[in-house]
Protein backbone atom coordinates (compact mmCIF):
# COMPACT_ATOMS: atom_id res chain seq x y z
CA UNK A 1 0.00 0.00 0.00
CA UNK A 2 1.39 3.45 -0.90
CA UNK A 3 2.09 5.98 1.86
CA UNK A 4 -1.01 7.45 3.47
CA UNK A 5 -2.10 11.04 3.94
CA UNK A 6 -4.33 11.92 6.91
CA UNK A 7 -7.32 11.81 4.61
CA UNK A 8 -6.44 8.39 3.25
CA UNK A 9 -5.75 7.04 6.72
CA UNK A 10 -9.11 8.29 7.92
CA UNK A 11 -10.78 6.77 4.87
CA UNK A 12 -9.08 3.44 5.53
CA UNK A 13 -10.36 3.34 9.10
CA UNK A 14 -13.88 4.07 7.84
CA UNK A 15 -13.53 1.36 5.20
CA UNK A 16 -12.56 -1.23 7.80
CA UNK A 17 -15.62 -0.39 9.88
CA UNK A 18 -17.97 -0.41 6.90
CA UNK A 19 -16.64 -3.72 5.62
CA UNK A 20 -17.40 -5.30 8.99
CA UNK A 21 -20.86 -3.72 9.06
CA UNK A 22 -21.74 -4.94 5.55
CA UNK A 23 -20.36 -8.42 6.21
CA UNK A 24 -22.56 -8.77 9.28
CA UNK A 25 -25.56 -7.31 7.46
CA UNK A 26 -25.18 -9.81 4.64
CA UNK A 27 -24.74 -12.69 7.07
CA UNK A 28 -27.79 -11.81 9.12
CA UNK A 29 -30.14 -10.34 6.51
CA UNK A 30 -28.83 -11.37 3.09
CA UNK A 31 -32.23 -12.85 2.15
CA UNK A 32 -34.27 -9.83 3.23
CA UNK A 33 -36.31 -8.54 0.24
CA UNK A 34 -35.84 -4.87 -0.68
CA UNK A 35 -38.80 -4.97 -3.07
CA UNK A 36 -40.24 -6.71 -6.09
CA UNK A 37 -40.05 -5.87 -9.78
CA UNK A 38 -43.22 -5.36 -11.81
CA UNK A 39 -43.71 -5.73 -15.57
CA UNK A 40 -44.32 -1.96 -15.74
CA UNK A 41 -40.95 -1.30 -14.09
CA UNK A 42 -39.12 -3.62 -16.49
CA UNK A 43 -40.55 -1.72 -19.48
CA UNK A 44 -40.51 1.62 -17.70
CA UNK A 45 -36.85 2.48 -17.23
CA UNK A 46 -36.46 0.42 -14.03
CA UNK A 47 -38.01 3.23 -11.96
CA UNK A 48 -37.82 2.69 -8.24
CA UNK A 49 -36.20 -0.76 -8.33
CA UNK A 50 -33.88 -0.94 -5.33
CA UNK A 51 -30.94 -2.91 -6.64
CA UNK A 52 -27.72 -1.02 -5.99
CA UNK A 53 -25.83 0.42 -3.05
CA UNK A 54 -24.53 3.97 -3.23
CA UNK A 55 -23.09 5.35 -0.02
CA UNK A 56 -22.43 9.10 -0.56
CA UNK A 57 -25.99 10.39 -0.95
CA UNK A 58 -29.65 9.40 -0.86
CA UNK A 59 -32.62 10.94 -2.63
CA UNK A 60 -35.99 11.35 -0.96
CA UNK A 61 -38.77 11.98 -3.44
CA UNK A 62 -40.32 14.77 -1.37
CA UNK A 63 -37.34 16.25 0.38
CA UNK A 64 -34.68 16.01 -2.32
CA UNK A 65 -31.07 15.05 -1.94
CA UNK A 66 -29.24 14.40 1.34
CA UNK A 67 -25.47 14.21 1.22
CA UNK A 68 -24.40 11.77 3.94
CA UNK A 69 -27.60 12.68 5.76
CA UNK A 70 -27.34 16.47 5.38
CA UNK A 71 -29.73 18.55 3.27
CA UNK A 72 -28.53 21.32 0.97
CA UNK A 73 -29.73 24.14 3.28
CA UNK A 74 -27.90 22.45 6.18
CA UNK A 75 -24.71 22.19 4.18
CA UNK A 76 -24.89 25.81 3.05
CA UNK A 77 -24.77 26.59 6.76
CA UNK A 78 -22.28 24.02 7.94
CA UNK A 79 -19.61 23.42 5.31
CA UNK A 80 -16.47 25.59 5.46
CA UNK A 81 -16.42 28.64 3.17
CA UNK A 82 -13.75 30.63 1.38
CA UNK A 83 -12.50 33.71 3.21
CA UNK A 84 -15.16 36.39 2.82
CA UNK A 85 -17.44 33.97 0.96
CA UNK A 86 -20.92 32.79 1.87
CA UNK A 87 -21.24 29.62 -0.18
CA UNK A 88 -19.83 26.19 0.74
CA UNK A 89 -16.54 24.96 -0.68
CA UNK A 90 -16.86 21.82 -2.83
CA UNK A 91 -13.64 20.53 -1.26
CA UNK A 92 -15.67 20.24 1.95
CA UNK A 93 -18.50 18.41 0.26
CA UNK A 94 -15.99 15.95 -1.20
CA UNK A 95 -14.60 15.31 2.29
CA UNK A 96 -18.09 14.74 3.65
CA UNK A 97 -19.09 12.38 0.83
CA UNK A 98 -15.85 10.42 1.17
CA UNK A 99 -15.66 10.08 4.96
CA UNK A 100 -19.27 10.69 6.10
CA UNK A 101 -17.94 13.35 8.54
CA UNK A 102 -18.34 17.12 8.33
CA UNK A 103 -14.94 18.61 7.57
CA UNK A 104 -13.03 21.19 9.58
CA UNK A 105 -11.27 24.10 7.84
CA UNK A 106 -8.09 22.04 8.09
CA UNK A 107 -9.68 19.01 6.42
CA UNK A 108 -10.79 21.21 3.55
CA UNK A 109 -7.29 22.59 3.22
CA UNK A 110 -5.92 19.06 3.03
CA UNK A 111 -8.30 18.13 0.21
CA UNK A 112 -7.37 21.33 -1.61
CA UNK A 113 -3.63 20.67 -1.19
CA UNK A 114 -4.05 17.10 -2.44
CA UNK A 115 -5.84 18.30 -5.57
CA UNK A 116 -3.39 21.11 -6.18
CA UNK A 117 -0.46 18.69 -5.91
CA UNK A 118 -2.06 16.65 -8.70
CA UNK A 119 -3.18 19.44 -11.02
CA UNK A 120 -0.43 19.18 -13.68
CA UNK A 121 -1.94 17.66 -16.81
CA UNK A 122 0.30 16.03 -19.43
CA UNK A 123 0.60 18.06 -22.64
CA UNK A 124 -0.65 15.12 -24.71
CA UNK A 125 -4.11 15.56 -23.14
CA UNK A 126 -4.36 19.11 -24.49
CA UNK A 127 -2.87 17.97 -27.81
CA UNK A 128 -5.47 15.21 -28.06
CA UNK A 129 -8.30 17.66 -27.43
CA UNK A 130 -6.72 20.08 -29.91
CA UNK A 131 -6.83 17.30 -32.51
CA UNK A 132 -10.64 17.55 -32.52
CA UNK A 133 -12.39 20.10 -34.72
CA UNK A 134 -13.03 23.24 -32.62
CA UNK A 135 -16.79 22.92 -33.06
CA UNK A 136 -16.81 19.44 -31.46
CA UNK A 137 -19.35 19.44 -28.63
CA UNK A 138 -17.63 20.41 -25.36
CA UNK A 139 -18.91 17.23 -23.69
CA UNK A 140 -17.20 15.14 -26.38
CA UNK A 141 -14.00 17.08 -25.76
CA UNK A 142 -14.42 16.55 -22.02
CA UNK A 143 -14.90 12.77 -22.32
CA UNK A 144 -11.95 12.55 -24.73
CA UNK A 145 -9.78 14.58 -22.32
CA UNK A 146 -10.67 12.25 -19.45
CA UNK A 147 -9.89 9.18 -21.56
CA UNK A 148 -6.59 10.70 -22.69
CA UNK A 149 -5.51 10.62 -19.03
CA UNK A 150 -6.28 6.91 -18.76
CA UNK A 151 -2.81 5.71 -19.72
CA UNK A 152 -1.58 6.94 -16.32
CA UNK A 153 -4.19 5.04 -14.33
CA UNK A 154 -2.66 3.85 -11.06
CA UNK A 155 -5.44 1.27 -10.66
CA UNK A 156 -4.80 -0.31 -14.07
CA UNK A 157 -1.06 -0.45 -13.50
CA UNK A 158 -1.40 -1.97 -10.03
CA UNK A 159 -4.06 -4.41 -11.24
CA UNK A 160 -1.79 -5.71 -13.97
CA UNK A 161 1.12 -5.96 -11.53
CA UNK A 162 -1.17 -8.00 -9.26
CA UNK A 163 -2.75 -6.84 -6.00
CA UNK A 164 -5.15 -8.15 -3.37
CA UNK A 165 -8.81 -7.30 -3.82
CA UNK A 166 -8.82 -5.61 -0.38
CA UNK A 167 -6.32 -3.09 -1.76
CA UNK A 168 -8.35 -2.04 -4.82
CA UNK A 169 -9.71 1.06 -3.10
CA UNK A 170 -6.21 2.51 -2.65
CA UNK A 171 -5.17 2.95 -6.32
CA UNK A 172 -8.80 3.83 -7.12
CA UNK A 173 -8.48 6.67 -4.59
CA UNK A 174 -5.25 7.80 -6.28
CA UNK A 175 -6.90 7.87 -9.72
CA UNK A 176 -9.90 9.76 -8.36
CA UNK A 177 -7.78 12.37 -6.60
CA UNK A 178 -5.63 12.76 -9.72
CA UNK A 179 -8.75 13.27 -11.80
CA UNK A 180 -10.26 15.83 -9.43
CA UNK A 181 -6.98 17.74 -9.41
CA UNK A 182 -6.96 17.92 -13.20
CA UNK A 183 -10.61 18.20 -14.25
CA UNK A 184 -11.10 21.96 -13.73
CA UNK A 185 -7.99 22.73 -15.82
CA UNK A 186 -9.14 20.45 -18.64
CA UNK A 187 -12.72 21.76 -18.50
CA UNK A 188 -11.54 25.38 -18.47
CA UNK A 189 -9.24 24.69 -21.42
CA UNK A 190 -12.20 23.31 -23.38
CA UNK A 191 -14.14 26.49 -22.62
CA UNK A 192 -11.29 28.71 -23.80
CA UNK A 193 -10.71 26.59 -26.87
CA UNK A 194 -14.34 26.40 -27.91
CA UNK A 195 -15.52 29.90 -27.06
CA UNK A 196 -12.50 32.16 -26.42
CA UNK A 197 -9.09 32.60 -28.04
CA UNK A 198 -7.79 29.17 -27.03
CA UNK A 199 -5.04 30.39 -24.68
CA UNK A 200 -4.69 28.43 -21.46
CA UNK A 201 -4.91 30.27 -18.17
CA UNK A 202 -2.94 28.61 -15.41
CA UNK A 203 -3.90 27.93 -11.80
CA UNK A 204 -3.75 30.66 -9.19
CA UNK A 205 -2.66 28.91 -6.00
CA UNK A 206 -4.32 31.60 -3.88
CA UNK A 207 -7.74 30.55 -5.09
CA UNK A 208 -9.86 27.61 -3.94
CA UNK A 209 -10.79 24.77 -6.33
CA UNK A 210 -14.03 26.32 -7.62
CA UNK A 211 -12.71 29.88 -7.83
CA UNK A 212 -9.71 28.53 -9.71
CA UNK A 213 -11.96 26.85 -12.23
CA UNK A 214 -13.67 30.22 -12.87
CA UNK A 215 -10.25 31.90 -13.06
CA UNK A 216 -8.95 29.36 -15.60
CA UNK A 217 -12.07 29.98 -17.71
CA UNK A 218 -11.04 33.64 -17.68
CA UNK A 219 -13.76 34.89 -15.31
CA UNK A 220 -12.60 36.98 -12.37
CA UNK A 221 -15.93 38.23 -10.98
CA UNK A 222 -15.99 37.43 -7.21
CA UNK A 223 -19.74 36.86 -7.49
CA UNK A 224 -19.27 34.27 -10.23
CA UNK A 225 -16.66 32.54 -8.08
CA UNK A 226 -19.27 32.33 -5.32
CA UNK A 227 -21.74 30.89 -7.80
CA UNK A 228 -19.14 28.35 -8.91
CA UNK A 229 -18.65 27.19 -5.30
CA UNK A 230 -22.38 26.75 -4.86
CA UNK A 231 -22.86 25.17 -8.28
CA UNK A 232 -20.05 22.62 -7.89
CA UNK A 233 -21.35 21.69 -4.43
CA UNK A 234 -25.03 21.18 -5.20
CA UNK A 235 -24.58 19.23 -8.44
CA UNK A 236 -22.01 16.82 -6.99
CA UNK A 237 -24.19 13.78 -6.39
CA UNK A 238 -27.80 12.65 -6.73
CA UNK A 239 -27.74 9.07 -5.40
CA UNK A 240 -26.70 6.21 -7.64
CA UNK A 241 -29.61 5.52 -9.96
CA UNK A 242 -29.35 8.61 -12.18
CA UNK A 243 -28.03 7.84 -15.65
CA UNK A 244 -24.51 9.29 -15.32
CA UNK A 245 -23.84 7.80 -11.89
CA UNK A 246 -25.31 4.46 -12.81
CA UNK A 247 -23.37 4.29 -16.08
CA UNK A 248 -20.10 5.04 -14.29
CA UNK A 249 -20.95 2.47 -11.61
CA UNK A 250 -21.69 -0.23 -14.19
CA UNK A 251 -18.47 0.43 -16.11
CA UNK A 252 -16.47 0.48 -12.87
CA UNK A 253 -17.92 -2.89 -11.88
CA UNK A 254 -15.96 -4.50 -14.70
CA UNK A 255 -12.80 -3.24 -12.92
CA UNK A 256 -12.32 -0.68 -15.65
CA UNK A 257 -10.51 2.22 -14.01
CA UNK A 258 -11.94 5.59 -12.97
CA UNK A 259 -11.03 7.24 -16.29
CA UNK A 260 -13.10 4.80 -18.32
CA UNK A 261 -16.05 4.93 -15.96
CA UNK A 262 -16.09 8.70 -15.58
CA UNK A 263 -15.86 9.19 -19.36
CA UNK A 264 -18.83 6.83 -19.78
CA UNK A 265 -20.74 8.68 -17.08
CA UNK A 266 -20.12 11.94 -18.91
CA UNK A 267 -21.51 10.41 -22.12
CA UNK A 268 -24.72 9.65 -20.21
CA UNK A 269 -24.81 13.15 -18.77
CA UNK A 270 -24.75 14.53 -22.31
CA UNK A 271 -28.32 13.40 -23.06
CA UNK A 272 -31.27 15.83 -23.38
CA UNK A 273 -33.20 14.06 -20.62
CA UNK A 274 -30.29 14.41 -18.21
CA UNK A 275 -27.53 17.06 -18.13
CA UNK A 276 -28.39 18.71 -21.44
CA UNK A 277 -31.65 20.04 -19.99
CA UNK A 278 -29.93 23.19 -18.64
CA UNK A 279 -29.21 24.42 -22.12
CA UNK A 280 -32.60 23.29 -23.42
CA UNK A 281 -34.26 25.50 -20.80
CA UNK A 282 -32.42 28.60 -21.99
CA UNK A 283 -32.96 27.85 -25.65
CA UNK A 284 -36.66 27.38 -24.97
CA UNK A 285 -36.98 30.64 -22.99
CA UNK A 286 -34.98 32.63 -25.51
CA UNK A 287 -37.03 31.25 -28.37
CA UNK A 288 -40.06 32.78 -26.69
CA UNK A 289 -38.24 36.07 -26.14
CA UNK A 290 -37.28 36.17 -29.82
CA UNK A 291 -40.85 35.52 -30.85
CA UNK A 292 -41.99 38.43 -28.71
CA UNK A 293 -39.15 40.76 -29.71
CA UNK A 294 -37.26 40.57 -26.38
CA UNK A 295 -37.93 41.55 -22.78
CA UNK A 296 -40.06 39.78 -20.20
CA UNK A 297 -43.29 38.18 -21.51
CA UNK A 298 -46.63 38.68 -19.77
CA UNK A 299 -48.09 35.85 -17.75
CA UNK A 300 -50.69 35.26 -20.50
CA UNK A 301 -47.99 34.96 -23.17
CA UNK A 302 -46.08 32.55 -20.98
CA UNK A 303 -49.11 30.34 -20.38
CA UNK A 304 -49.80 30.22 -24.13
CA UNK A 305 -46.19 29.31 -24.86
CA UNK A 306 -46.15 26.49 -22.30
CA UNK A 307 -49.35 25.02 -23.78
CA UNK A 308 -48.03 25.43 -27.31
CA UNK A 309 -44.92 23.45 -26.33
CA UNK A 310 -46.99 20.67 -24.76
CA UNK A 311 -49.45 20.58 -27.66
CA UNK A 312 -46.51 20.13 -30.04
CA UNK A 313 -45.67 16.96 -28.15
CA UNK A 314 -42.59 18.39 -26.43
CA UNK A 315 -41.62 18.37 -22.77
CA UNK A 316 -41.20 21.53 -20.70
CA UNK A 317 -37.47 21.52 -20.12
CA UNK A 318 -36.37 21.82 -16.50
CA UNK A 319 -39.63 20.43 -15.14
CA UNK A 320 -40.37 16.93 -13.93
CA UNK A 321 -38.08 14.33 -12.44
CA UNK A 322 -37.74 10.58 -12.43
CA UNK A 323 -37.67 10.45 -8.61
CA UNK A 324 -38.45 13.87 -7.10
CA UNK A 325 -42.04 14.87 -6.43
CA UNK A 326 -41.40 18.40 -5.10
CA UNK A 327 -39.33 21.44 -6.09
CA UNK A 328 -35.71 20.35 -6.32
CA UNK A 329 -33.73 21.88 -3.40
CA UNK A 330 -30.92 22.52 -5.89
CA UNK A 331 -33.38 24.75 -7.76
CA UNK A 332 -34.24 26.52 -4.51
CA UNK A 333 -30.57 27.08 -3.61
CA UNK A 334 -29.95 28.70 -6.99
CA UNK A 335 -33.13 30.76 -6.68
CA UNK A 336 -31.92 32.09 -3.34
CA UNK A 337 -28.60 32.98 -4.93
CA UNK A 338 -30.41 34.84 -7.73
CA UNK A 339 -32.70 36.68 -5.31
CA UNK A 340 -29.59 37.89 -3.50
CA UNK A 341 -27.33 38.74 -6.42
CA UNK A 342 -29.45 39.34 -9.53
CA UNK A 343 -33.09 39.98 -8.57
CA UNK A 344 -33.73 42.30 -11.53
CA UNK A 345 -32.24 40.13 -14.26
CA UNK A 346 -34.73 39.60 -17.14
CA UNK A 347 -34.05 35.91 -17.50
CA UNK A 348 -34.39 35.36 -13.77
CA UNK A 349 -37.75 37.15 -13.90
CA UNK A 350 -38.92 34.73 -16.58
CA UNK A 351 -37.57 31.72 -14.68
CA UNK A 352 -39.53 32.94 -11.63
CA UNK A 353 -42.70 33.45 -13.65
CA UNK A 354 -42.36 29.94 -15.04
CA UNK A 355 -42.14 28.64 -11.48
CA UNK A 356 -45.52 30.28 -10.82
CA UNK A 357 -47.02 29.02 -14.09
CA UNK A 358 -45.72 25.64 -15.25
CA UNK A 359 -46.65 23.40 -12.27
CA UNK A 360 -50.37 24.24 -12.60
CA UNK A 361 -50.31 23.62 -16.33
CA UNK A 362 -48.48 20.31 -16.02
CA UNK A 363 -50.98 19.24 -13.37
CA UNK A 364 -53.83 20.21 -15.67
CA UNK A 365 -52.27 18.27 -18.54
CA UNK A 366 -52.00 15.33 -16.14
CA UNK A 367 -49.07 13.45 -17.63
CA UNK A 368 -45.92 14.38 -15.71
CA UNK A 369 -45.75 12.68 -12.32
CA UNK A 370 -43.83 15.65 -10.95
CA UNK A 371 -44.93 19.13 -12.08
CA UNK A 372 -42.17 20.93 -10.14
CA UNK A 373 -38.87 22.35 -11.43
CA UNK A 374 -35.63 20.38 -11.28
CA UNK A 375 -32.12 21.80 -10.94
CA UNK A 376 -31.78 22.49 -14.66
CA UNK A 377 -34.68 24.95 -14.70
CA UNK A 378 -32.45 27.45 -12.93
CA UNK A 379 -28.78 26.83 -13.68
CA UNK A 380 -28.68 28.33 -17.17
CA UNK A 381 -30.05 31.74 -16.27
CA UNK A 382 -27.33 32.21 -13.65
CA UNK A 383 -24.56 31.26 -16.07
CA UNK A 384 -26.02 33.57 -18.71
CA UNK A 385 -26.12 36.48 -16.26
CA UNK A 386 -22.37 36.22 -15.66
CA UNK A 387 -21.57 36.05 -19.37
CA UNK A 388 -21.34 32.29 -19.94
CA UNK A 389 -23.63 32.40 -22.93
CA UNK A 390 -22.34 29.29 -24.63
CA UNK A 391 -25.09 26.79 -23.92
CA UNK A 392 -23.10 23.82 -25.08
CA UNK A 393 -20.71 24.38 -22.21
CA UNK A 394 -23.25 24.08 -19.40
CA UNK A 395 -23.11 20.30 -19.23
CA UNK A 396 -19.34 20.41 -18.74
CA UNK A 397 -19.83 22.53 -15.61
CA UNK A 398 -22.35 19.94 -14.43
CA UNK A 399 -19.89 17.16 -15.26
CA UNK A 400 -17.01 18.62 -13.24
CA UNK A 401 -19.29 18.75 -10.23
CA UNK A 402 -20.88 15.34 -10.78
CA UNK A 403 -17.41 13.80 -11.00
CA UNK A 404 -17.12 14.35 -7.23
CA UNK A 405 -20.00 12.03 -6.34
CA UNK A 406 -19.26 9.49 -9.06
CA UNK A 407 -15.62 9.18 -8.07
CA UNK A 408 -16.24 9.03 -4.32
CA UNK A 409 -18.72 6.25 -4.87
CA UNK A 410 -16.27 4.38 -7.08
CA UNK A 411 -13.75 4.32 -4.20
CA UNK A 412 -16.41 2.88 -1.90
CA UNK A 413 -17.45 0.32 -4.51
CA UNK A 414 -13.86 -0.93 -4.59
CA UNK A 415 -13.59 -0.80 -0.79
CA UNK A 416 -16.70 -2.93 -0.37
CA UNK A 417 -15.66 -5.30 -3.14
CA UNK A 418 -18.75 -4.87 -5.29
CA UNK A 419 -18.84 -7.50 -8.04
CA UNK A 420 -19.51 -7.22 -11.76
CA UNK A 421 -23.04 -5.89 -12.34
CA UNK A 422 -25.14 -8.32 -14.31
CA UNK A 423 -28.91 -7.93 -13.98
CA UNK A 424 -31.16 -10.35 -15.86
CA UNK A 425 -33.03 -9.28 -18.97
CA UNK A 426 -36.13 -11.05 -20.26
CA UNK A 427 -38.08 -11.03 -23.52
CA UNK A 428 -41.70 -10.01 -24.03
CA UNK A 429 -42.48 -13.67 -24.82
CA UNK A 430 -40.91 -14.75 -21.51
CA UNK A 431 -43.02 -12.24 -19.62
CA UNK A 432 -46.23 -13.37 -21.33
CA UNK A 433 -45.46 -17.05 -20.82
CA UNK A 434 -44.79 -16.45 -17.12
CA UNK A 435 -47.99 -14.50 -16.68
CA UNK A 436 -50.00 -17.32 -18.35
CA UNK A 437 -48.25 -19.96 -16.29
CA UNK A 438 -48.52 -18.19 -12.92
CA UNK A 439 -51.61 -15.98 -13.33
CA UNK A 440 -51.51 -12.18 -13.38
N1 LIG B 1 -43.11 18.34 -19.70
C1 LIG B 1 -44.05 17.64 -20.35
N2 LIG B 1 -44.28 16.35 -20.14
C2 LIG B 1 -43.57 15.73 -19.20
C3 LIG B 1 -42.60 16.40 -18.45
C4 LIG B 1 -42.37 17.76 -18.73
N3 LIG B 1 -41.43 18.47 -18.11
N4 LIG B 1 -42.04 15.53 -17.58
C5 LIG B 1 -42.64 14.36 -17.80
N5 LIG B 1 -43.56 14.46 -18.79
C6 LIG B 1 -44.34 13.40 -19.40
C7 LIG B 1 -43.39 12.34 -19.91
O1 LIG B 1 -42.86 12.69 -21.18
C8 LIG B 1 -44.28 11.13 -19.95
O2 LIG B 1 -45.10 11.22 -21.08
P1 LIG B 1 -45.48 9.91 -21.96
O3 LIG B 1 -46.28 9.08 -21.02
O4 LIG B 1 -46.25 10.46 -23.10
O5 LIG B 1 -44.18 9.27 -22.33
C9 LIG B 1 -45.16 11.36 -18.72
O6 LIG B 1 -45.09 12.75 -18.41
C10 LIG B 1 -44.71 10.59 -17.49
O7 LIG B 1 -43.34 10.88 -17.25
P2 LIG B 1 -42.75 10.87 -15.76
O8 LIG B 1 -42.88 9.49 -15.23
O9 LIG B 1 -43.34 11.98 -14.96
O10 LIG B 1 -41.24 11.28 -16.00
P3 LIG B 1 -40.02 10.32 -16.33
O11 LIG B 1 -39.54 9.73 -15.06
O12 LIG B 1 -40.33 9.38 -17.44
O13 LIG B 1 -38.94 11.34 -16.91
C11 LIG B 1 -37.77 13.37 -16.96
C12 LIG B 1 -38.29 12.25 -16.08
C13 LIG B 1 -36.86 14.28 -16.13
C14 LIG B 1 -36.92 12.76 -18.10
C15 LIG B 1 -38.98 14.16 -17.54
O14 LIG B 1 -39.68 14.77 -16.48
C16 LIG B 1 -38.58 15.19 -18.56
O15 LIG B 1 -38.44 14.86 -19.74
N6 LIG B 1 -38.38 16.47 -18.13
C17 LIG B 1 -37.88 17.51 -19.01
C18 LIG B 1 -36.38 17.34 -19.24
C19 LIG B 1 -35.60 17.68 -17.99
O16 LIG B 1 -35.86 18.68 -17.32
N7 LIG B 1 -34.57 16.85 -17.68
C20 LIG B 1 -33.66 17.13 -16.55
C21 LIG B 1 -33.81 16.14 -15.40
C22 LIG B 1 -32.80 16.39 -14.32
C23 LIG B 1 -31.55 15.55 -14.53
O17 LIG B 1 -31.60 14.34 -14.26
O18 LIG B 1 -30.54 16.06 -15.00
Amino acid sequence: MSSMSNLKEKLFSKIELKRKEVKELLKESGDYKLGEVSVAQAYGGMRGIKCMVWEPSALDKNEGIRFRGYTIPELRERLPRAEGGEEPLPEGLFYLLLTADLPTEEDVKEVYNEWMARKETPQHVFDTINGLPPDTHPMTQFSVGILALQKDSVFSTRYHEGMYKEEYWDPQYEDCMNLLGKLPGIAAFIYRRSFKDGTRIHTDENLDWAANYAHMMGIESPEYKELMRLYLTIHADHEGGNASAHTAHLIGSTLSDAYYSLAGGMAALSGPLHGLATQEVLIWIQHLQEKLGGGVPTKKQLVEYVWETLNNGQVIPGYGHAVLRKTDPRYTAQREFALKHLPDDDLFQIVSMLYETVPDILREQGKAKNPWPNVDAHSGCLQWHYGIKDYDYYTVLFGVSRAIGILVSSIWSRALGFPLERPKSVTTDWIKENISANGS
Side-chain angles (χ1 to χ4, degrees):
M1 204 170 289
S2 48
S3 71
M4 288 220 202
S5 62
N6 290 337
L7 177 59
K8 212 160 150 184
E9 241 171 71
K10 172 158 194 170
L11 174 63
F12 187 45
S13 66
K14 296 269 178 174
I15 287 174
E16 287 189 307
L17 288 174
K18 193 59 127 186
R19 278 178 176 161
K20 228 170 124 215
E21 185 188 337
V22 172
K23 199 170 163 194
E24 278 164 22
L25 180 70
L26 280 169
K27 195 169 152 216
E28 280 166 24
S29 311
D31 291 330
Y32 181 81
K33 296 266 180 300
L34 295 178
E36 286 174 8
V37 181
S38 69
V39 173
Q41 284 174 310
Y43 280 99
M46 302 189 277
R47 292 293 184 284
I49 300 174
K50 297 184 188 72
C51 58
M52 77 194 274
V53 177
W54 188 269
E55 299 288 358
S57 69
L59 184 59
D60 178 87
K61 68 186 172 109
N62 290 315
E63 187 187 59
I65 193 70
R66 273 183 187 263
F67 297 116
R68 293 286 189 181
Y70 295 97
T71 63
I72 285 177
E74 283 165 357
L75 290 179
R76 283 180 88 191
E77 286 297 317
R78 300 182 68 169
L79 283 179
R81 302 164 181 177
E83 217 180 299
E86 294 185 340
E87 298 299 344
L89 288 167
E91 291 91 322
L93 185 79
F94 170 81
Y95 185 95
L96 173 68
L97 294 183
L98 187 69
T99 66
D101 291 339
L102 278 174
T104 61
E105 304 267 347
E106 234 168 72
D107 295 328
V108 163
K109 193 83 198 137
E110 188 186 351
V111 171
Y112 173 78
N113 288 339
E114 282 273 346
W115 289 352
M116 276 295 152
R118 299 158 188 262
K119 71 176 190 308
E120 285 316 324
T121 301
Q123 185 54 39
H124 75 84
V125 174
F126 299 110
D127 293 344
T128 304
I129 295 171
N130 270 333
L132 298 167
D135 60 348
T136 304
H137 195 285
M139 279 304 274
T140 311
Q141 299 186 50
F142 192 45
S143 299
V144 167
I146 292 167
L147 275 180
L149 285 167
Q150 190 278 332
K151 77 176 233 342
D152 295 326
S153 165
V154 183
F155 182 88
S156 285
T157 306
R158 293 270 307 278
Y159 184 82
H160 290 297
E161 284 167 3
M163 70 176 147
Y164 291 108
K165 199 174 171 188
E166 292 72 39
E167 292 174 13
Y168 284 177
W169 70 271
D170 181 314
Q172 185 78 14
Y173 168 93
E174 295 299 330
D175 279 348
C176 293
M177 295 301 270
N178 285 336
L179 265 163
L180 288 165
K182 293 172 180 40
L183 286 181
I186 294 173
F189 171 69
I190 293 166
Y191 178 71
R192 303 221 24 105
R193 172 173 193 261
S194 297
F195 309 110
K196 301 290 164 191
D197 62 7
T199 53
R200 249 178 86 202
I201 300 175
H202 291 273
T203 317
D204 175 349
E205 304 240 344
N206 298 311
L207 294 174
D208 55 90
W209 192 69
N212 238 316
Y213 181 12
H215 161 74
M216 290 186 284
M217 286 170 70
I219 305 163
E220 297 301 351
S221 145
E223 236 174 71
Y224 186 74
K225 287 176 179 152
E226 273 285 87
L227 174 63
M228 193 65 115
R229 293 176 188 122
L230 175 68
Y231 184 97
L232 296 182
T233 298
I234 63 178
H235 287 79
D237 204 30
H238 217 226
E239 73 165 39
N242 69 80
S244 49
H246 186 198
T247 303
H249 184 76
L250 169 64
I251 296 174
S253 84
T254 69
L255 295 187
S256 267
D257 59 53
Y259 300 91
Y260 283 120
S261 46
L262 185 63
M266 292 303 104
L269 192 66
S270 306
L273 298 186
H274 195 8
L276 209 73
T278 309
Q279 78 182 62
E280 307 258 313
V281 171
L282 268 197
I283 293 170
W284 180 70
I285 293 177
Q286 290 173 343
H287 179 242
L288 169 66
Q289 282 186 303
E290 257 167 48
K291 261 175 61 163
L292 302 175
V296 178
T298 63
K299 177 136 192 226
K300 184 165 173 279
Q301 287 168 327
L302 213 56
V303 169
E304 277 168 15
Y305 186 56
V306 172
W307 274 116
E308 188 189 308
T309 306
L310 291 174
N311 292 338
N312 284 338
Q314 289 156 8
V315 294
I316 307 300
Y319 281 74
H321 198 271
V323 178
L324 278 172
R325 294 297 175 255
K326 279 279 162 64
T327 298
D328 190 333
R330 300 170 299 173
Y331 176 95
T332 309
Q334 295 187 94
R335 179 172 167 76
E336 284 168 8
F337 185 95
L339 285 168
K340 188 151 119 200
H341 296 287
L342 46 129
D344 301 324
D345 180 274
D346 272 6
L347 265 175
F348 174 56
Q349 304 276 327
I350 302 176
V351 165
S352 289
M353 286 169 74
L354 285 167
Y355 191 23
E356 290 162 16
T357 314
V358 174
D360 283 345
I361 299 178
L362 284 179
R363 267 196 294 249
E364 191 179 332
Q365 192 212 24
K367 270 170 75 174
K369 293 193 187 70
N370 174 32
W372 300 104
N374 60 57
V375 64
D376 298 318
H378 216 301
S379 316
C381 97
L382 296 180
Q383 296 299 330
W384 188 270
H385 177 82
Y386 292 104
I388 321 306
K389 299 190 171 178
D390 319 287
Y391 312 125
D392 280 353
Y393 192 70
Y394 296 163
T395 322
V396 177
L397 290 162
F398 195 159
V400 172
S401 176
R402 186 49 60 91
I404 294 178
I406 285 179
L407 294 175
V408 164
S409 185
S410 78
I411 298 168
W412 276 100
S413 298
R414 295 284 191 257
L416 298 178
F418 288 165
L420 179 71
E421 271 195 5
R422 183 46 172 103
K424 175 90 185 93
S425 67
V426 292
T427 62
T428 298
D429 285 346
W430 184 93
I431 292 176
K432 285 162 108 178
E433 279 159 22
N434 265 263
I435 292 172
S436 318
N438 301 317
S440 52

